[in-house]
Amino acid sequence: MRGDQQLTTHNRQPFSMDYKPTINLPRTGFAMKADLAQREPKMLAEWEAQNRYAQLQAHTAQREHAFILHDGPPYANGAIHLGHAVNKILKDAVVRSKLMAGFRSPYIPGWDCHGLPIEIAVEKKVGKVGQKVDATEFRKLCRDYASAQIDLQRKDFKRLGVLGDWEHPYRTMDLKYEADILRALARVYANGHVVRGFKPVHWCFDCGSALAEAEIEYADKQSPAIDVAYDALDPKSLAAKFGVTVGDGDIVAVPIWTTTPWTLPASLAVTLGPQLDYVLVEGPARAGRRVLLVLAETLAGKALARYGVERVKVLGRAQGESLASFSPLPSGEGGRRPGEGSGGSKPHGDTEPSPQPLSRGERGLKHPFYDREIALILGEHVSAEEGTGAVHTAPGHGVEDFQVGQKYGLVENTPANVLNPVGANGVYLPGTPTFEGQHIWKANDTIIELLRERGVLLHAAKITHSYPHCWRHRTPIAFRTTPQWFIGMERAGLRESAMRAIRNDVTFYPSWGEERIAGMVEGRPDWCISRQRTWGVPIALFVHKRNAEPHPRSVELLEQVAQRVEKNGVDAWYALEPSELLGDEAKDYDKVTDILDVWFDSGTSHFCVLDQRAELARKPGDQVIYLEGSDQHRGWFQSSLLTSCAMHDHAPFDEVLTHGFTVDAQGRKMSKSLGNGIEPQDVMKHYGADILRLWIASADYRNEMALSDEILKRVADSYRRIRNTARFLLGNLDGFDPAQHLLPAEQCLLLDQWAVQCAFDVQQAVVAAYARYDFPEIVQRVQNFCTNEMGALYLDITKDRLYTMPLDSRARRSAQSAMYRILEAMVRWLAPLLSFTSEEIWQHMPRTMVLDGKVVERDASVLFHTWYDGLAATQGSPERRRWWGDLLSVREAASRVLEGMRKDGKIGSSLDAKLVIHADPAIVARYHEVADELRFFFIVSDLRLDRGAQPEGAVLTELEGADVYVAASVSEAPKCVRCWHHREDVGIHAGHPELCGRCVENVEAYEGRGSGESRRWF
Ligand SMILES: [Zn+2]
Ligand SMILES: [Zn+2]
């Protein structure tokens, strides 16, 4: 503040007489030094002792509408990191802003407790299930582990200043929650969305389990790339389709290109593109026999070059369509039932599957090393971009392969161990010829060798390509077709329901979230909800031993199981004797032992939490927001949306907000190896949680959020400006009792009305920004207000009045009234962002407050209140805004002139100078009324408005339609020792020879004579 040197006690010249008692210096217990690292834990302890969260709920219980932020549960594993802090603090800011906006806004934090990472952590301690501990004991250890992790995280979440029901969080392993998961499953099942399917799923051999889409990440992998000849069983008839006649020992083969040799044991077909053009060409001879190859025309040259054939000799042409050896099933037959979509195929029919599919009488190809006929079929997915234009097809190991295999009846008619000969651990199943017991990644080399020996390996190389990996193990995954449970996207209109909700019912922040999730839901495959693991909620269905169909009374049975789980946990399912529920039927049914995907656990929290807890009950007009990192478009937002649509045909949320991830100042991901990580615990230890909170609020969460020590220092500076402004306001409110001293707006001095108007304008912007979750805009506005309107102007100008005028003078009470109102507003603007500092300010504010026109004792928390409505907008008309705008422009010009004089050593402070302002008569007339007090607004000892011509050395300011000149000079008048203004009337008064006229009046008022100086405008 530029006026800092004015009227501070330490550098004042001593008065000849002691006028110090007549000066009102600010006083407050609100410390200049924030000391947040020490102060915040104490405040937390106090809030906990008072049970602040319960108090707050009681205070707001009667509010008409609820706005509920439903917590996406973090996984209960490991200490919190910066990402957790960002997520929880943004949530807290939303909850608090909704409270301020007048909503009921309960916040129930949650934890996701089941699942593999916890199993792995427990396995590390006690080994796998069945080694040293049984499943029941193992689950107990998982539960204990998760509980300990929750305690660890909860402590840090609270330390961030996040307000919530930390003593009653929701945990997906709570027995009631586990039971409700089963009830949710029953509802989804009852609505016809659950299906048992036989389908390729992403499989991690280290997890030993299927993976969700969200659990996969892509990374480079080196793989073999081989070309393999599939010889025609009837070479003459295949060649004839190209119009070519071949001799008796000639080989006609279709080469395929693959990067997964290990899938060849599961090879059932070769697929051609029906619209592609194929050529029959001369290939490399094999053991003296002539070899003719079928290749896509556009790829033939490249492929032959790989095989060492330099010259392409085309013998004949044919379109893919004419080359198939085999017809698709008429639609409607086979595994896929109407309305079932791709998840509905039935793995084990009532009859034994025949080993060979239907044929149309033509012979196909030979498997390269097994005695198996390979069908030559057609698929639109085959392209001529790379390879040979012919695709080896293993429905057990790929989605497109599976789909085309289904179309031709290959899936239905192939035994399960032939369709997918690979076990859960990545090893070929017993009975797999040649490769039984080998791991698939190791088998690649063996297979290539075998192909070479048999003369069908046309080429072998290595390539590096982007390949899906398990996000936990970082190991390559594969597709395995296994019996699994699915929520079918095409069943009972689920995809349409979800798309409708996205398009019509949900508001996304930022708005691109809508396209993102819509694109994902539009294209996603069926949701595989089963896992072959231990720590989770069982898919508590009884399936028929013969056809694996769920029991006809499954919905009712699920409820009976849920009641047992609610009492005794998930072990109740494993301990259950089927006859207890099924009676005599029990002999025909098996219990499903798969557990549910944990995404189903957390995805049903809208039912298990939002629909269960009394404080979260909603009525029409109430709203729910979900707020998570932007990766949750394919994670929790989607699993929640799908389960809710499957249960209720509507979205569980009205609004979805996503935030980006944290990076360092150079935009790099934070990591241990780069050493650029910043832990929230360290920030709280050094700076305090409010600094972390202010950073999060000011960073643009819609993008990546950069943090570094340098950035933290800048945020701490910015915090200090806000804190100092609050402190100055508090200091000047010393002795101010709103009950007695608060002046109505229209009785306040003009400058004070302007200050309140500025606060009013800021509040409009701040409240609107909170409503659209634009936190950076809020920080910017508040920051500017503290720096510009307050720091550089109002606080500086009012010092004179507050310090030198009588305590109870109207002019002083007017400034205090404005400051009181501004602070009441400002503390609320800050409350959603700075949870500690806002309460600290609140505690130091006047003990009484005016609320709805009544004087009341100030209560325990700013959060009990809504946006301040006591800011009067008396200076907001266009005329008044122009009046102030022009005056501020002139003041800015004057400040530049005075600053120049100070630099030249002509003056010390601006009070050593006087100003003459030259303007045209209309302008002079506009400010004529306030002219006598303008010197206070400009903080100079004298100011004169003049209609005369431009004086020499004056500085021009251009206002709209008028020129104004500012001329400054050093004041020759003597200086008043009390107020430091240079005034001609210093020395006139015999009793106070060192004082100016108005100081004499003010001192006499202090002594009980007269009412002191009077001030109307500034
Ligand atoms: Zn894995
Ligand atoms: Zn004076």
Side-chain angles (χ1 to χ4, degrees), residues 976-981 983 986 994-1000:
C976 168
V977 296
R978 186 168 174 273
C979 71
W980 293 15
H981 285 241
R983 301 296 293 171
V986 173
E994 293 168 301
L995 298 192
C996 70
R998 66 184 189 97
C999 277
V1000 171

Side-chain angles (χ1 to χ4, degrees), residues 204 206-207 470 472-473 475:
C204 171
D206 295 301
C207 293
C470 171
R472 286 184 209 99
H473 292 100
T475 48

Side-chain angles (χ1 to χ4, degrees), residues 206 250 289 342 368 459 531 541 577 595 889 977:
D206 295 301
D250 292 353
R289 290 169 69 189
S342 52
H459 182 250
R531 297 290 184 276
L541 291 168
E577 273 303 324
I595 61 167
S889 299
V977 296

